Coordinates of all heavy atoms in Angstrom, one line a residue:
M16 N -17.6 -2.7 -8.8 CA -18.1 -3.6 -7.8 C -19.6 -3.4 -7.6 O -20.1 -2.3 -7.6 CB -17.4 -3.2 -6.5 CG -17.6 -4.2 -5.4 SD -16.7 -3.8 -3.8 CE -15.0 -3.9 -4.4
S17 N -20.3 -4.6 -7.5 CA -21.7 -4.5 -7.5 C -22.2 -4.1 -6.1 O -21.5 -4.1 -5.1 CB -22.3 -5.9 -7.8 OG -21.9 -6.9 -6.8
E18 N -23.5 -3.7 -6.0 CA -24.1 -3.2 -4.8 C -24.1 -4.4 -3.8 O -24.5 -5.5 -4.1 CB -25.5 -2.7 -5.1 CG -26.3 -2.2 -3.9 CD -25.8 -0.9 -3.3 OE1 -25.1 -0.2 -4.1 OE2 -26.0 -0.6 -2.2
Y19 N -23.7 -4.1 -2.6 CA -23.7 -5.1 -1.5 C -24.8 -4.9 -0.6 O -25.0 -3.8 -0.1 CB -22.3 -5.1 -0.8 CG -22.3 -6.1 0.4 CD1 -22.3 -7.4 0.1 CD2 -22.3 -5.6 1.7 CE1 -22.3 -8.4 1.2 CE2 -22.3 -6.5 2.7 CZ -22.3 -7.9 2.5 OH -22.3 -8.8 3.5
K20 N -25.6 -5.9 -0.3 CA -26.7 -5.9 0.7 C -26.3 -6.5 2.0 O -26.2 -7.7 2.1 CB -27.9 -6.6 0.1 CG -28.3 -6.2 -1.3 CD -29.1 -4.9 -1.2 CE -29.7 -4.6 -2.5 NZ -29.7 -3.3 -3.0
S21 N -25.9 -5.7 3.0 CA -25.4 -6.1 4.3 C -26.6 -6.5 5.2 O -27.6 -5.9 5.2 CB -24.6 -5.1 5.0 OG -24.2 -5.5 6.3
K22 N -26.3 -7.6 5.9 CA -27.3 -8.0 7.0 C -27.3 -7.0 8.1 O -28.2 -7.0 9.0 CB -26.9 -9.4 7.5 CG -27.1 -10.5 6.4 CD -26.7 -11.9 7.0 CE -25.3 -12.2 7.0 NZ -24.5 -12.5 5.9
L23 N -26.3 -6.2 8.2 CA -26.1 -5.2 9.3 C -26.8 -3.9 9.0 O -26.8 -3.0 9.8 CB -24.6 -5.0 9.6 CG -23.8 -6.2 10.0 CD1 -22.4 -5.8 10.1 CD2 -24.4 -6.7 11.3
K24 N -27.3 -3.7 7.8 CA -27.8 -2.4 7.3 C -28.8 -1.8 8.2 O -29.8 -2.4 8.6 CB -28.4 -2.6 5.9 CG -28.9 -1.3 5.3 CD -27.8 -0.5 4.7 CE -28.4 0.7 3.9 NZ -27.6 1.9 4.1
S25 N -28.5 -0.6 8.7 CA -29.5 0.2 9.5 C -29.0 1.6 9.5 O -27.8 1.9 9.1 CB -29.5 -0.3 10.9 OG -28.3 0.0 11.6
E26 N -29.8 2.5 10.0 CA -29.4 3.9 10.1 C -28.3 4.1 11.0 O -27.3 4.9 10.8 CB -30.6 4.8 10.5 CG -31.6 5.1 9.5 CD -32.7 6.1 9.9 OE1 -32.3 7.0 10.7 OE2 -33.8 5.9 9.6
Q27 N -28.3 3.3 12.1 CA -27.2 3.4 13.1 C -25.9 2.9 12.5 O -24.8 3.5 12.8 CB -27.6 2.6 14.4 CG -28.8 3.1 15.1 CD -30.1 2.7 14.5 OE1 -30.2 1.9 13.6 NE2 -31.2 3.2 15.1
M28 N -26.0 1.8 11.8 CA -24.7 1.3 11.1 C -24.2 2.3 10.1 O -23.0 2.5 10.0 CB -25.0 -0.1 10.5 CG -23.7 -0.8 10.1 SD -22.6 -1.1 11.5 CE -21.2 -1.7 10.6
D29 N -25.1 2.9 9.3 CA -24.7 3.9 8.4 C -24.0 5.1 9.1 O -22.9 5.6 8.6 CB -25.9 4.5 7.6 CG -26.4 3.6 6.5 OD1 -25.7 2.6 6.2 OD2 -27.5 3.9 6.0
F30 N -24.5 5.5 10.3 CA -23.9 6.5 11.1 C -22.5 6.1 11.5 O -21.5 6.9 11.4 CB -24.7 6.8 12.3 CG -24.3 8.0 13.1 CD1 -24.5 9.3 12.6 CD2 -23.7 7.9 14.3 CE1 -24.1 10.4 13.3 CE2 -23.3 9.0 15.1 CZ -23.5 10.3 14.5
L31 N -22.3 4.8 11.9 CA -21.0 4.3 12.3 C -20.0 4.3 11.1 O -18.9 4.8 11.3 CB -21.1 2.9 12.9 CG -19.8 2.3 13.3 CD1 -19.0 3.1 14.3 CD2 -20.0 0.9 13.8
C32 N -20.5 3.9 10.0 CA -19.7 3.8 8.8 C -19.2 5.3 8.4 O -18.1 5.5 8.1 CB -20.4 3.2 7.6 SG -20.6 1.4 7.8
D33 N -20.2 6.2 8.5 CA -19.9 7.6 8.2 C -18.8 8.2 9.2 O -17.9 8.9 8.8 CB -21.1 8.5 8.2 CG -22.0 8.2 7.0 OD1 -21.6 7.6 6.0 OD2 -23.2 8.5 7.1
A34 N -19.0 7.8 10.4 CA -18.0 8.2 11.4 C -16.6 7.7 11.1 O -15.6 8.5 11.1 CB -18.4 7.7 12.8
V35 N -16.5 6.4 10.8 CA -15.2 5.9 10.4 C -14.6 6.5 9.2 O -13.4 6.9 9.1 CB -15.2 4.3 10.3 CG1 -13.9 3.8 9.7 CG2 -15.6 3.7 11.6
L36 N -15.4 6.7 8.2 CA -15.0 7.3 6.9 C -14.6 8.8 7.1 O -13.9 9.3 6.3 CB -16.1 7.2 5.8 CG -16.3 5.7 5.3 CD1 -17.5 5.7 4.5 CD2 -15.1 5.2 4.6
S37 N -15.1 9.4 8.2 CA -14.7 10.8 8.4 C -13.3 11.0 9.0 O -12.8 12.1 9.0 CB -15.7 11.5 9.3 OG -15.5 11.1 10.7
L38 N -12.7 9.9 9.5 CA -11.4 10.0 10.1 C -10.3 10.3 9.0 O -10.4 9.7 7.9 CB -11.0 8.7 10.8 CG -12.0 8.3 11.9 CD1 -11.7 6.9 12.4 CD2 -11.9 9.4 13.1
K39 N -9.4 11.2 9.3 CA -8.5 11.7 8.3 C -7.1 11.1 8.4 O -6.3 11.2 7.4 CB -8.4 13.2 8.4 CG -9.7 13.9 7.9 CD -9.6 15.4 8.0 CE -10.7 16.2 7.4 NZ -12.0 15.8 7.6
N40 N -6.7 10.6 9.5 CA -5.3 10.1 9.7 C -5.3 9.0 10.8 O -6.3 8.8 11.5 CB -4.3 11.2 9.9 CG -4.7 12.1 11.1 OD1 -5.1 11.6 12.2 ND2 -4.7 13.4 10.9
K41 N -4.1 8.5 11.0 CA -3.9 7.4 12.0 C -4.2 8.0 13.4 O -4.8 7.3 14.2 CB -2.5 6.8 11.9 CG -2.3 5.9 10.8 CD -1.0 5.2 10.8 CE -0.7 4.5 9.5 NZ 0.6 3.9 9.5
Q42 N -3.7 9.2 13.7 CA -3.9 9.7 15.0 C -5.4 9.8 15.3 O -5.9 9.5 16.4 CB -3.3 11.1 15.1 CG -3.5 11.7 16.5 CD -2.8 13.1 16.7 OE1 -3.1 13.9 15.9 NE2 -2.1 13.2 17.8
E43 N -6.2 10.3 14.4 CA -7.7 10.3 14.6 C -8.3 8.9 14.8 O -9.2 8.8 15.6 CB -8.4 11.1 13.4 CG -8.1 12.5 13.4 CD -8.8 13.3 12.3 OE1 -9.6 12.6 11.5 OE2 -8.7 14.5 12.2
C44 N -7.7 7.9 14.0 CA -8.2 6.6 14.2 C -7.9 6.1 15.6 O -8.8 5.5 16.3 CB -7.5 5.6 13.2 SG -8.1 5.8 11.5
Y45 N -6.7 6.3 16.1 CA -6.3 5.9 17.5 C -7.3 6.6 18.5 O -7.8 5.9 19.4 CB -4.9 6.3 17.8 CG -3.8 5.3 17.4 CD1 -3.1 5.5 16.2 CD2 -3.6 4.2 18.1 CE1 -2.1 4.6 15.8 CE2 -2.6 3.3 17.7 CZ -1.9 3.5 16.6 OH -0.9 2.6 16.2
R46 N -7.5 7.9 18.3 CA -8.4 8.6 19.3 C -9.8 8.0 19.3 O -10.4 7.8 20.3 CB -8.4 10.1 18.9 CG -7.1 10.8 19.2 CD -7.2 12.2 18.6 NE -6.0 13.0 19.0 CZ -5.9 13.9 19.9 NH1 -7.0 14.3 20.5 NH2 -4.8 14.6 20.1
F47 N -10.3 7.8 18.1 CA -11.7 7.3 18.0 C -11.8 5.9 18.5 O -12.7 5.6 19.3 CB -12.2 7.4 16.5 CG -13.6 7.0 16.3 CD1 -14.7 7.6 17.0 CD2 -13.9 5.9 15.5 CE1 -16.0 7.2 16.8 CE2 -15.2 5.5 15.3 CZ -16.3 6.1 16.0
F48 N -10.9 5.0 18.0 CA -10.9 3.6 18.4 C -10.7 3.5 19.9 O -11.4 2.6 20.6 CB -9.9 2.8 17.7 CG -10.2 2.7 16.2 CD1 -9.2 2.2 15.3 CD2 -11.4 3.0 15.6 CE1 -9.5 2.1 14.0 CE2 -11.7 2.9 14.3 CZ -10.7 2.5 13.4
E49 N -9.9 4.3 20.5 CA -9.7 4.2 22.0 C -10.9 4.6 22.7 O -11.2 4.1 23.8 CB -8.5 5.0 22.4 CG -7.2 4.4 22.1 CD -6.0 5.2 22.6 OE1 -6.1 5.9 23.6 OE2 -4.9 5.2 21.9
D50 N -11.7 5.5 22.2 CA -12.9 5.9 22.8 C -14.1 5.0 22.6 O -14.9 4.7 23.5 CB -13.4 7.3 22.3 CG -12.6 8.5 22.9 OD1 -11.8 8.2 23.8 OD2 -12.7 9.6 22.4
I51 N -14.2 4.4 21.4 CA -15.4 3.6 21.1 C -15.2 2.1 21.4 O -16.2 1.5 21.7 CB -15.8 3.8 19.6 CG1 -17.2 3.4 19.4 CG2 -14.8 3.1 18.7 CD1 -17.8 3.9 18.0
F52 N -14.0 1.6 21.4 CA -13.8 0.2 21.7 C -13.2 0.0 23.1 O -12.4 0.9 23.5 CB -12.8 -0.5 20.7 CG -13.4 -0.5 19.3 CD1 -12.7 0.2 18.2 CD2 -14.4 -1.3 18.9 CE1 -13.2 0.1 16.9 CE2 -14.9 -1.4 17.6 CZ -14.3 -0.7 16.6
T53 N -13.4 -1.2 23.7 CA -12.6 -1.5 24.8 C -11.3 -2.0 24.3 O -11.1 -2.3 23.1 CB -13.3 -2.7 25.6 OG1 -13.3 -3.9 24.8 CG2 -14.7 -2.3 26.1
I54 N -10.3 -2.1 25.2 CA -9.0 -2.6 24.8 C -9.1 -4.0 24.2 O -8.5 -4.3 23.2 CB -8.0 -2.6 26.0 CG1 -7.8 -1.1 26.5 CG2 -6.7 -3.3 25.7 CD1 -7.1 -0.2 25.5
N55 N -9.9 -4.9 24.9 CA -10.0 -6.2 24.4 C -10.7 -6.3 23.0 O -10.3 -7.1 22.2 CB -10.8 -7.1 25.4 CG -10.0 -7.4 26.6 OD1 -8.8 -7.3 26.7 ND2 -10.7 -7.8 27.7
E56 N -11.7 -5.4 22.8 CA -12.3 -5.4 21.5 C -11.3 -5.0 20.4 O -11.3 -5.6 19.3 CB -13.5 -4.5 21.5 CG -14.7 -5.0 22.3 CD -15.8 -3.9 22.5 OE1 -15.4 -2.7 22.5 OE2 -16.9 -4.3 22.8
I57 N -10.6 -4.0 20.6 CA -9.6 -3.5 19.6 C -8.5 -4.5 19.4 O -8.1 -4.7 18.2 CB -9.1 -2.1 19.9 CG1 -8.5 -1.4 18.6 CG2 -8.1 -2.1 21.0 CD1 -9.5 -1.1 17.5
K58 N -8.1 -5.1 20.4 CA -7.0 -6.2 20.3 C -7.6 -7.4 19.5 O -6.8 -8.0 18.7 CB -6.5 -6.6 21.7 CG -5.7 -5.6 22.4 CD -4.4 -5.3 21.7 CE -3.6 -4.3 22.4 NZ -2.4 -3.9 21.6
A59 N -8.8 -7.7 19.7 CA -9.4 -8.8 18.9 C -9.5 -8.5 17.5 O -9.2 -9.3 16.6 CB -10.8 -9.2 19.5
I60 N -9.9 -7.3 17.1 CA -10.0 -6.8 15.7 C -8.6 -6.8 15.1 O -8.4 -7.2 14.0 CB -10.7 -5.5 15.7 CG1 -12.2 -5.6 16.1 CG2 -10.6 -4.9 14.3 CD1 -12.9 -4.3 16.3
E61 N -7.7 -6.2 15.9 CA -6.3 -6.1 15.4 C -5.7 -7.5 15.1 O -5.1 -7.8 14.1 CB -5.5 -5.5 16.5 CG -4.0 -5.3 16.4 CD -3.4 -4.7 17.6 OE1 -3.5 -3.5 17.8 OE2 -2.9 -5.5 18.5
Q62 N -6.0 -8.5 16.0 CA -5.5 -9.9 15.8 C -6.2 -10.5 14.6 O -5.5 -11.2 13.8 CB -5.9 -10.7 17.1 CG -5.4 -12.1 17.0 CD -5.9 -12.9 18.2 OE1 -7.1 -13.2 18.3 NE2 -5.0 -13.4 19.1
R63 N -7.5 -10.3 14.4 CA -8.1 -10.9 13.2 C -7.6 -10.4 11.9 O -7.4 -11.2 11.0 CB -9.6 -10.6 13.3 CG -10.4 -11.4 14.4 CD -11.8 -11.2 14.3 NE -12.4 -11.5 15.6 CZ -13.3 -10.8 16.3 NH1 -13.7 -9.7 15.8 NH2 -13.7 -11.2 17.5
L64 N -7.3 -9.1 11.9 CA -6.7 -8.6 10.7 C -5.3 -9.2 10.4 O -4.9 -9.5 9.3 CB -6.6 -7.0 10.7 CG -6.2 -6.3 9.4 CD1 -7.1 -6.7 8.2 CD2 -6.2 -4.8 9.6
Q65 N -4.5 -9.3 11.5 CA -3.2 -10.0 11.3 C -3.3 -11.4 10.8 O -2.6 -11.9 10.0 CB -2.4 -9.9 12.6 CG -1.9 -8.5 12.9 CD -1.0 -8.0 11.8 OE1 -0.1 -8.6 11.3 NE2 -1.3 -6.7 11.4
V66 N -4.3 -12.1 11.4 CA -4.6 -13.5 11.0 C -4.9 -13.5 9.5 O -4.4 -14.3 8.7 CB -5.7 -14.1 11.9 CG1 -6.2 -15.4 11.2 CG2 -5.2 -14.4 13.3
A67 N -5.8 -12.6 9.1 CA -6.2 -12.6 7.7 C -5.0 -12.3 6.8 O -4.9 -13.0 5.7 CB -7.3 -11.5 7.5
K68 N -4.2 -11.4 7.2 CA -3.0 -11.1 6.4 C -2.1 -12.3 6.3 O -1.6 -12.7 5.2 CB -2.2 -9.9 7.0 CG -1.0 -9.6 6.1 CD -0.2 -8.4 6.8 CE 1.0 -8.0 6.0 NZ 1.9 -9.1 5.5
M69 N -1.9 -13.0 7.4 CA -1.0 -14.2 7.4 C -1.7 -15.3 6.5 O -1.0 -16.1 5.9 CB -0.7 -14.6 8.8 CG 0.1 -13.6 9.5 SD 0.4 -14.0 11.3 CE 1.8 -15.1 11.1
L70 N -3.0 -15.5 6.6 CA -3.7 -16.5 5.8 C -3.5 -16.2 4.3 O -3.2 -17.1 3.5 CB -5.2 -16.6 6.1 CG -5.5 -17.3 7.4 CD1 -7.0 -17.0 7.8 CD2 -5.3 -18.8 7.3
K71 N -3.6 -14.9 3.9 CA -3.4 -14.5 2.5 C -2.0 -14.8 2.1 O -1.7 -15.0 0.9 CB -3.8 -13.0 2.3 CG -5.3 -12.7 2.5 CD -6.1 -13.4 1.5 CE -6.2 -12.5 0.3 NZ -7.2 -13.1 -0.7
D72 N -1.0 -14.7 3.1 CA 0.4 -15.0 2.8 C 0.7 -16.5 2.8 O 1.9 -16.8 2.8 CB 1.3 -14.2 3.8 CG 1.3 -12.7 3.6 OD1 0.9 -12.2 2.5 OD2 1.6 -12.0 4.6
K73 N -0.4 -17.3 2.9 CA -0.2 -18.7 2.9 C 0.5 -19.3 4.1 O 1.2 -20.4 4.0 CB 0.4 -19.2 1.6 CG -0.2 -18.7 0.3 CD -1.6 -19.3 0.1 CE -2.2 -19.0 -1.2 NZ -3.6 -18.9 -1.2
R74 N 0.4 -18.7 5.3 CA 1.1 -19.2 6.5 C 0.2 -20.3 7.0 O -1.0 -20.3 6.8 CB 1.3 -18.1 7.5 CG 2.0 -16.9 7.0 CD 3.5 -16.9 7.2 NE 3.9 -16.8 8.6 CZ 4.2 -15.7 9.2 NH1 4.1 -14.5 8.6 NH2 4.6 -15.7 10.4
T75 N 0.8 -21.2 7.8 CA 0.0 -22.3 8.3 C -0.8 -21.9 9.6 O -0.4 -20.9 10.2 CB 0.9 -23.5 8.7 OG1 1.8 -23.1 9.8 CG2 1.8 -24.0 7.6
Y76 N -1.8 -22.6 10.0 CA -2.5 -22.3 11.2 C -1.6 -22.3 12.4 O -1.7 -21.5 13.2 CB -3.7 -23.4 11.4 CG -5.0 -23.1 10.7 CD1 -5.0 -22.5 9.4 CD2 -6.2 -23.4 11.3 CE1 -6.2 -22.3 8.8 CE2 -7.4 -23.2 10.6 CZ -7.4 -22.7 9.4 OH -8.6 -22.4 8.8
A77 N -0.7 -23.3 12.5 CA 0.2 -23.4 13.6 C 1.1 -22.2 13.7 O 1.3 -21.6 14.8 CB 1.0 -24.7 13.5
D78 N 1.6 -21.8 12.6 CA 2.5 -20.6 12.5 C 1.7 -19.3 12.9 O 2.2 -18.5 13.7 CB 3.0 -20.4 11.1 CG 4.1 -19.3 10.9 OD1 4.7 -19.0 11.9 OD2 4.2 -18.8 9.8
I79 N 0.5 -19.2 12.4 CA -0.4 -18.0 12.7 C -0.7 -18.0 14.2 O -0.6 -17.0 14.9 CB -1.7 -18.0 11.9 CG1 -1.3 -17.9 10.4 CG2 -2.6 -17.0 12.3 CD1 -2.5 -18.1 9.4
A80 N -1.1 -19.2 14.8 CA -1.4 -19.3 16.2 C -0.2 -18.9 17.0 O -0.4 -18.1 18.0 CB -1.9 -20.7 16.5
T81 N 0.9 -19.3 16.7 CA 2.1 -19.0 17.4 C 2.4 -17.5 17.4 O 2.7 -16.8 18.4 CB 3.4 -19.8 16.9 OG1 3.1 -21.2 17.1 CG2 4.6 -19.4 17.7
A82 N 2.4 -16.9 16.2 CA 2.7 -15.5 15.9 C 1.7 -14.6 16.5 O 2.1 -13.5 17.0 CB 2.9 -15.3 14.4
T83 N 0.4 -14.9 16.5 CA -0.6 -14.0 16.9 C -1.3 -14.3 18.2 O -1.9 -13.4 18.8 CB -1.7 -13.9 15.9 OG1 -2.4 -15.2 15.8 CG2 -1.2 -13.5 14.5
G84 N -1.2 -15.5 18.7 CA -1.9 -16.0 19.9 C -3.3 -16.3 19.6 O -4.1 -16.6 20.5
A85 N -3.7 -16.3 18.4 CA -5.1 -16.6 18.0 C -5.4 -18.1 18.1 O -4.5 -18.9 17.9 CB -5.4 -16.1 16.6
S86 N -6.6 -18.4 18.5 CA -7.0 -19.8 18.6 C -7.2 -20.3 17.2 O -7.5 -19.6 16.3 CB -8.3 -20.0 19.4 OG -9.4 -19.4 18.7
T87 N -7.2 -21.7 17.1 CA -7.5 -22.2 15.8 C -8.9 -21.9 15.3 O -9.2 -21.8 14.2 CB -7.2 -23.8 15.7 OG1 -7.9 -24.4 16.8 CG2 -5.7 -24.0 15.9
A88 N -9.8 -21.8 16.3 CA -11.2 -21.4 16.0 C -11.3 -20.0 15.4 O -12.0 -19.8 14.4 CB -12.1 -21.5 17.3
T89 N -10.5 -19.1 15.9 CA -10.5 -17.7 15.4 C -9.9 -17.8 14.0 O -10.4 -17.1 13.0 CB -9.7 -16.8 16.3 OG1 -10.4 -16.7 17.5 CG2 -9.5 -15.4 15.7
I90 N -8.8 -18.5 13.8 CA -8.1 -18.6 12.5 C -9.1 -19.2 11.5 O -9.2 -18.7 10.4 CB -6.8 -19.4 12.6 CG1 -5.8 -18.7 13.6 CG2 -6.2 -19.6 11.2 CD1 -4.7 -19.6 14.0
S91 N -9.8 -20.2 11.9 CA -10.7 -20.9 11.0 C -11.9 -19.9 10.6 O -12.3 -19.9 9.4 CB -11.3 -22.1 11.7 OG -12.2 -22.8 10.8
R92 N -12.4 -19.2 11.6 CA -13.5 -18.2 11.3 C -13.0 -17.1 10.3 O -13.7 -16.8 9.4 CB -13.9 -17.6 12.6 CG -15.2 -16.7 12.5 CD -15.7 -16.2 13.9 NE -15.6 -17.2 15.0 CZ -14.8 -17.1 16.0 NH1 -14.0 -16.0 16.2 NH2 -14.7 -18.0 17.0
V93 N -11.8 -16.6 10.5 CA -11.3 -15.6 9.6 C -11.1 -16.2 8.2 O -11.4 -15.6 7.2 CB -9.9 -15.0 10.2 CG1 -9.3 -14.1 9.1 CG2 -10.2 -14.2 11.5
N94 N -10.6 -17.4 8.2 CA -10.4 -18.1 6.9 C -11.7 -18.3 6.1 O -11.8 -18.0 4.9 CB -9.7 -19.4 7.1 CG -9.2 -20.0 5.8 OD1 -8.6 -19.3 5.0 ND2 -9.4 -21.3 5.6
R95 N -12.7 -18.6 6.9 CA -14.1 -18.8 6.3 C -14.5 -17.4 5.7 O -15.1 -17.4 4.6 CB -15.0 -19.3 7.3 CG -16.3 -19.9 6.8 CD -17.1 -20.7 7.8 NE -17.2 -20.1 9.1 CZ -16.6 -20.6 10.2 NH1 -15.8 -21.7 10.1 NH2 -16.7 -20.1 11.4
C96 N -14.3 -16.3 6.5 CA -14.7 -15.0 6.0 C -13.9 -14.6 4.7 O -14.5 -14.1 3.8 CB -14.5 -14.0 7.1 SG -15.6 -14.1 8.4
I97 N -12.6 -14.9 4.7 CA -11.8 -14.6 3.5 C -12.4 -15.4 2.3 O -12.5 -14.8 1.2 CB -10.4 -15.0 3.8 CG1 -9.7 -14.0 4.7 CG2 -9.6 -15.0 2.4 CD1 -8.4 -14.4 5.2
N98 N -12.7 -16.6 2.5 CA -13.2 -17.5 1.3 C -14.6 -17.4 1.0 O -15.0 -17.5 -0.2 CB -12.8 -18.9 1.6 CG -11.3 -19.1 1.6 OD1 -10.6 -18.7 0.7 ND2 -10.7 -19.6 2.7
Y99 N -15.5 -17.1 2.0 CA -16.9 -17.2 1.8 C -17.7 -16.0 2.3 O -18.9 -16.0 2.3 CB -17.5 -18.5 2.4 CG -16.8 -19.7 1.9 CD1 -16.0 -20.4 2.8 CD2 -16.9 -20.2 0.6 CE1 -15.3 -21.6 2.4 CE2 -16.2 -21.3 0.2 CZ -15.4 -22.0 1.1 OH -14.8 -23.1 0.7
G100 N -17.0 -15.0 2.8 CA -17.7 -13.9 3.5 C -18.1 -12.8 2.6 O -18.2 -13.0 1.4
A101 N -18.1 -11.6 3.2 CA -18.6 -10.4 2.4 C -17.5 -9.7 1.6 O -17.7 -8.7 1.1 CB -19.2 -9.4 3.4
D102 N -16.3 -10.3 1.6 CA -15.1 -9.8 0.9 C -14.4 -8.6 1.6 O -13.5 -8.0 1.0 CB -15.5 -9.4 -0.6 CG -14.6 -10.0 -1.6 OD1 -13.8 -11.0 -1.2 OD2 -14.6 -9.5 -2.7
G103 N -14.8 -8.3 2.8 CA -14.2 -7.1 3.5 C -12.7 -7.3 3.7 O -12.0 -6.3 3.5
Y104 N -12.3 -8.4 4.2 CA -10.9 -8.7 4.4 C -10.1 -8.5 3.1 O -9.1 -7.9 3.0 CB -10.6 -10.1 5.0 CG -10.9 -10.2 6.5 CD1 -11.8 -11.2 6.9 CD2 -10.1 -9.5 7.4 CE1 -12.0 -11.4 8.3 CE2 -10.3 -9.7 8.8 CZ -11.3 -10.6 9.2 OH -11.5 -10.8 10.5
N105 N -10.7 -9.1 2.1 CA -10.0 -9.1 0.8 C -9.8 -7.7 0.2 O -8.8 -7.3 -0.3 CB -10.7 -10.0 -0.2 CG -10.6 -11.5 0.2 OD1 -9.5 -11.9 0.6 ND2 -11.7 -12.2 0.1
I106 N -10.9 -6.9 0.4 CA -10.8 -5.5 -0.1 C -9.7 -4.7 0.6 O -8.9 -4.1 0.0 CB -12.2 -4.8 0.1 CG1 -13.2 -5.4 -0.9 CG2 -12.1 -3.3 -0.1 CD1 -14.7 -5.0 -0.6
V107 N -9.8 -4.8 1.9 CA -8.8 -4.1 2.8 C -7.4 -4.5 2.5 O -6.5 -3.7 2.3 CB -9.2 -4.2 4.3 CG1 -8.1 -3.7 5.2 CG2 -10.4 -3.4 4.5
L108 N -7.2 -5.8 2.5 CA -5.8 -6.4 2.3 C -5.3 -6.0 0.9 O -4.1 -5.7 0.8 CB -5.7 -7.9 2.6 CG -6.0 -8.2 4.1 CD1 -6.1 -9.7 4.2 CD2 -4.9 -7.7 5.0
A109 N -6.1 -6.1 -0.1 CA -5.6 -5.7 -1.4 C -5.3 -4.2 -1.5 O -4.2 -3.9 -2.1 CB -6.7 -6.0 -2.5
R110 N -6.0 -3.4 -0.9 CA -5.7 -1.9 -0.9 C -4.5 -1.6 -0.1 O -3.7 -0.8 -0.5 CB -6.9 -1.1 -0.3 CG -8.0 -1.1 -1.3 CD -9.1 -0.2 -1.0 NE -10.2 -0.3 -2.0 CZ -11.5 -0.1 -1.7 NH1 -11.9 0.2 -0.5 NH2 -12.4 -0.3 -2.7
L111 N -4.3 -2.3 1.0 CA -3.0 -2.1 1.8 C -1.8 -2.6 1.0 O -0.8 -2.0 1.2 CB -3.2 -2.8 3.2 CG -4.1 -2.2 4.2 CD1 -4.3 -3.1 5.4 CD2 -3.7 -0.8 4.6
E112 N -2.0 -3.7 0.3 CA -0.9 -4.2 -0.5 C -0.5 -3.2 -1.6 O 0.7 -3.1 -2.0 CB -1.3 -5.5 -1.1 CG -0.1 -6.4 -1.5 CD -0.6 -7.8 -1.9 OE1 -0.8 -8.6 -1.0 OE2 -0.8 -8.0 -3.1
E113 N -1.5 -2.5 -2.1 CA -1.2 -1.5 -3.2 C -0.3 -0.3 -2.7 O 0.4 0.3 -3.5 CB -2.5 -0.9 -3.7 CG -3.4 -1.9 -4.5 CD -4.8 -1.3 -4.8 OE1 -5.0 -0.1 -4.5 OE2 -5.5 -2.1 -5.4
K114 N -0.4 0.0 -1.4 CA 0.4 1.1 -0.9 C 1.9 0.9 -0.9 O 2.5 0.0 -0.8 CB -0.1 1.4 0.6 CG -1.4 2.1 0.6 CD -1.6 2.5 2.1 CE -2.7 3.5 2.1 NZ -2.9 4.1 3.4

């Protein structure tokens, strides 16, 4: 995979990435995420990942909206990221599928 140049690149973002990468299991993820995110923030991230998975599974916008409660604007935004974004969703979903 080629070097990726993020628009978010900074020392602070590197620190956050290192923090996430230091987590060893789901329990540590739950603990860290509960401390660092608000409930609404984590629910939004959780929803977007479910939307991405359903889009990759070729589900319709209507089906995804019903199943997740996501707006069509959110579904469209996630779809745009899957197709034209930084490839983050695709990397994560492919790795989860390998498990």
Side-chain angles (χ1 to χ4, degrees):
M16 191 177 297
S17 64
E18 181 72 20
Y19 176 69
K20 304 284 191 222
S21 175
K22 296 180 272 293
L23 300 174
K24 181 80 173 141
S25 70
E26 281 185 41
Q27 294 81 4
M28 190 62 187
D29 283 352
F30 188 72
L31 175 59
C32 290
D33 289 340
V35 171
L36 291 169
S37 77
L38 300 170
K39 291 182 174 38
N40 55 47
K41 285 182 188 175
Q42 183 181 48
E43 288 184 2
C44 288
Y45 275 102
R46 288 172 177 253
F47 182 63
F48 293 165
E49 284 182 34
D50 283 350
I51 200 166
F52 295 116
T53 66
I54 296 296
N55 288 340
E56 289 167 337
I57 198 67
K58 290 294 182 187
I60 293 166
E61 177 185 280
Q62 181 187 66
R63 288 182 201 136
L64 188 56
Q65 287 304 309
V66 167
K68 182 183 181 313
M69 294 175 84
L70 285 166
K71 295 293 276 184
D72 291 341
K73 306 291 186 211
R74 305 269 292 270
T75 66
Y76 275 36
D78 188 25
I79 295 169
T81 300
T83 66
S86 68
T87 54
T89 295
I90 298 167
S91 180
R92 190 174 320 114
V93 171
N94 193 45
R95 195 168 42 254
C96 288
I97 288 171
N98 293 307
Y99 307 108
D102 229 19
Y104 282 119
N105 293 317
I106 291 167
V107 166
L108 292 172
R110 289 190 183 150
L111 289 171
E112 202 172 277
E113 290 172 3
K114 282 188 163 187

